[in-house]
Amino acid sequence: MSKLTRLRFLPDPTTREDTFVGDFLRRETVGGAVALIAALVAVVWANSTFGDGYEHLRAFEIGPLNVEQWAADGALTLFFFVTGLELKREFLIGSLSKISDAIVPVVAAACGVAVPALIYTIVNVVGDGHRGGWAIPSATDIAFALAVLAIVGSSLPGQLRAFLLTLAVVDDLIVIVIIAAFYAHGFDFGALVLAVLCCAAYAALQYLRVPNVLVYLPFAVGAWWFTHESGIHATIAGVVLGLLTRVRTDNAEDSSPAERIEHVLSPWSSGVAVPFFALMSAGVVIGGGAELVGDPVVIGVVLGLVLGKPIGVFGGSWLLTKLTRAEIDEDINWVDVFGIAVLAGVGFTVSLLVSDLSFTGAEREAAKTAVLFGSLIAACLGAAILVGRNRVHRRVAEQARGDV
């Protein structure tokens, strides 16, 4: 088979893509650190003598929603809007625009969603637990996973960063579809029609090249609110609006509307919206001891994140290269891919959201506790693997430069 007929697995990113990924990593590193601090504050606060104050704050009503709902339905909508912008960019002009480049991370992401869900379901069927939380361990947190990679992988090839970014983006898209399909409550068709009309008006303004941001705001807010009222989770409106935003530049433009909006909103998304959600959602009261350890929901979530994600992501990637013409790049070792696969088990933001949508009361708190512990274990294991690989790649780079 000639080299010309082979598909390259994890190809070298272009200069433009490499710059984009680098900029994205820098933003998410800061956002991931801030969100982690917010989550730690929430856990300490909820388990302190001031825990009642934390619960009162979450239940405090501001307009039609309480503070906890504003965090999950409001703040995360901004996060998902930016995610929608990123999804469209990747599909049209980024790493997902070519099937040959996108096929491996897409398959890896799909397997990385399916295997954790299967493990969770098996554990809860055998243990007579709650099967409704099957989607909780299926999500990868973009901010935290990329933040860990940026900290421990300074010498790792750029292809791995691009792979994790693409994997997380596709993972988010799949989980977004799951949320829309399986977590709608009290469906209201009339409200959904109004949401669709608002989205259509937003798309028309984009098509007509209307530059004034203020003209878009009423339709964006309307799409968000009517989606919330329809019974579909309000964050779906953010994704849809992001996907409707134009990502290709016109002849007279230096940058597209999506690039300009993302440049402005990304710091707010990663530095404010996600940490605010973490503060309001991660505050679980840790207790129960052996009872918590034996809970099938907890076992299913932790095993799904720590074992299911690596098995799905790595297994899907490896099988695809064996069954097709796709091949691993010569600069990449399968141990590198395995480290990324383990790191993909950092669920956090979206997993906490799905926990909120899946359960109430004590079971919800148990699921969230499992998400925090499972994500922490995955982050530590992934970091440990990638630290070692980072040393290897640094040594190879030094030898190539003649430093040693």
Side-chain angles (χ1 to χ4, degrees), residues 10 78 80 82 86 91 102 116 147 174 178 191 193 206 220 223 255 276 283 303-304 318 323 325 328 360 385:
L10 299 181
L78 176 60
F80 277 99
V82 174
E86 174 60 19
F91 276 116
I174 297 173
I178 289 174
V193 170
Q206 283 288 305
S255 59
F276 176 48
L303 290 182
W318 186 81
L323 299 176
R325 295 196 307 269
I328 190 169
T360 58
I385 296 170

Side-chain angles (χ1 to χ4, degrees), residues 17 88-98 101-102 166:
E17 287 177 332
K88 189 171 183 178
R89 195 203 77 87
E90 292 295 333
F91 276 116
L92 291 185
I93 59 177
S95 58
L96 298 177
S97 59
K98 296 180 180 179
D101 291 347
T166 305

Side-chain angles (χ1 to χ4, degrees), residues 105-118:
V106 168
V107 171
C111 294
V113 169
V115 175
L118 180 61

Side-chain angles (χ1 to χ4, degrees), residues 184-340:
H185 302 287
F187 184 71
D188 186 327
F189 182 75
L192 180 61
V193 170
L194 292 175
V196 171
L197 290 175
C198 288
C199 290
Y202 180 95
L205 293 173
Q206 283 288 305
Y207 179 78
L208 296 171
R209 305 307 197 257
V210 176
N212 193 334
V213 176
L214 295 178
V215 178
Y216 292 87
L217 283 179
F219 298 107
V221 173
W224 170 78
W225 176 249
F226 290 123
T227 300
H228 177 273
E229 291 298 287
S230 73
I232 298 174
H233 200 268
T235 53
I236 302 302
V239 178
V240 173
L241 294 174
L243 293 173
L244 292 175
T245 305
R246 183 164 57 88
V247 300
R248 297 187 186 277
T249 57
D250 289 335
N251 292 332
E253 290 181 319
D254 294 328
S255 59
S256 68
E259 289 176 307
R260 295 193 294 270
I261 293 172
E262 187 175 356
H263 179 74
V264 173
L265 293 184
S266 285
W268 292 98
S269 172
S270 60
V272 177
V274 174
F276 176 48
F277 171 75
L279 181 64
M280 290 296 102
S281 185
V284 295
V285 178
I286 300 175
E291 180 180 345
L292 187 65
V293 173
D295 189 333
V297 169
V298 174
I299 297 172
V301 170
V302 173
L303 290 182
L305 291 172
V306 178
L307 293 181
K309 273 291 183 181
I311 292 172
V313 172
F314 182 84
S317 302
W318 186 81
L319 281 175
L320 193 65
T321 60
K322 297 303 177 183
L323 299 176
T324 70
R325 295 196 307 269
E327 59 182 11
I328 190 169
D329 192 276
E330 60 185 12
D331 295 330
I332 303 296
N333 189 287
W334 279 112
V335 179
D336 300 325
V337 179
F338 182 69
I340 295 296

Side-chain angles (χ1 to χ4, degrees), residues 155 390-404:
S155 298
N390 193 63
R391 293 196 189 100
V392 172
H393 284 284
R394 183 188 298 120
R395 187 162 55 250
V396 170
E398 290 172 348
Q399 290 174 345
R401 293 195 306 265
D403 293 347
V404 292

